[in-house]
Amino acid sequence: MLEEILRQVQAGNLSVSEAKENLATYENLGFAKVDHHRKNRQGFPEVVYGEGKTKEQIICIIQAIRSKGQNVLVTRISKEKANYVLREYPEFSYNETAQILFWKKKTSKNDSYQGYIAIVCAGTSDLRVAEEAAVTAEALGSEVRRFYDVGVAGIHRLFDNIEQIQQATVSVVVAGMEGALPSVVGGLVSHPVIAVPTSVGYGANFNGLSALLTMLNSCASGISVVNIDNGFGAAYNAVLIDHLVKGDKSE
């Protein structure tokens, strides 16, 4: 990137001030410093956490990201704030269940790679977290297949879908209550499993703590665990794994 900018300056296609702007690692908006070089370091642009930000602040951050031609992903954004943004950017997509607003540039699909991420969800009450994971993975460029309401209380529902889950590159498994589902899936697949405990459950669930401890103490190998209700974090890790495999397959 640096060499290309210097070549453009040398050729007269870029002014010194424009070059300095392109080389700046972040943009200071006063209330936020937008990290424009995140994509260069990690492969994806900075993700905006919508909770706690005003709709005006979210718009300003989106404008800064869009000015660099980068994809936009806003998590934990309410319907009210999303509608405000959509009036300015009607081309964006909003998923109310996931509370995610996003826009991404159209890219050519790599037909040589047929891999996908399996999003496995124990119950309907866990859908908000499962959809946060699913939509995040899709917004970051991965293929997703959803396997919902397949919890261990009716384990035959999981077995009816297990062959498709086994063929995934990586699985994100979302569960509340006692959080047993990732252990079961982990014992049936040969790929990484990312477990997501949810805060769904009765009093002794302790707002997801019981599910978190179950997943951390899983006897199945190959399971990693993210924080309670953190569908975004699970999906981000799953996409990194998926992209590594995609790179190997495309060589």
Side-chain angles (χ1 to χ4, degrees), residues 222-237:
I223 296 178
S224 301
V225 187
V226 298
N227 208 349
I228 298 167
D229 291 337
N230 190 10
F232 163 76
Y236 197 99
N237 284 335

Side-chain angles (χ1 to χ4, degrees), residues 162 165-171 185-193 221-222:
I162 195 60
I165 295 171
Q166 288 171 331
Q167 292 168 14
T169 301
V170 52
S171 288
V185 174
L188 297 170
V189 302
S190 59
H191 57 247
V193 172
S221 302

Side-chain angles (χ1 to χ4, degrees), residues 118-127 130 145-166 171-176 178-186 188-189:
I119 308 294
V120 186
C121 176
T124 305
S125 297
D126 303 307
L127 277 181
R145 295 191 189 179
R146 293 163 169 83
F147 304 91
Y148 289 173
D149 199 20
V150 293
V152 297
I155 203 165
H156 54 286
R157 300 170 299 177
L158 175 65
F159 293 154
D160 285 345
N161 294 278
I162 195 60
E163 288 186 10
Q164 289 188 71
I165 295 171
Q166 288 171 331
S171 288
V172 174
V173 185
V174 182
E178 84 286 14
L181 185 60
S183 293
V184 176
V185 174
L188 297 170
V189 302

Side-chain angles (χ1 to χ4, degrees), residues 6 28 42 46 178 215 233:
L6 292 174
N28 191 345
Q42 295 189 300
E46 182 173 8
E178 84 286 14
M215 295 174 186

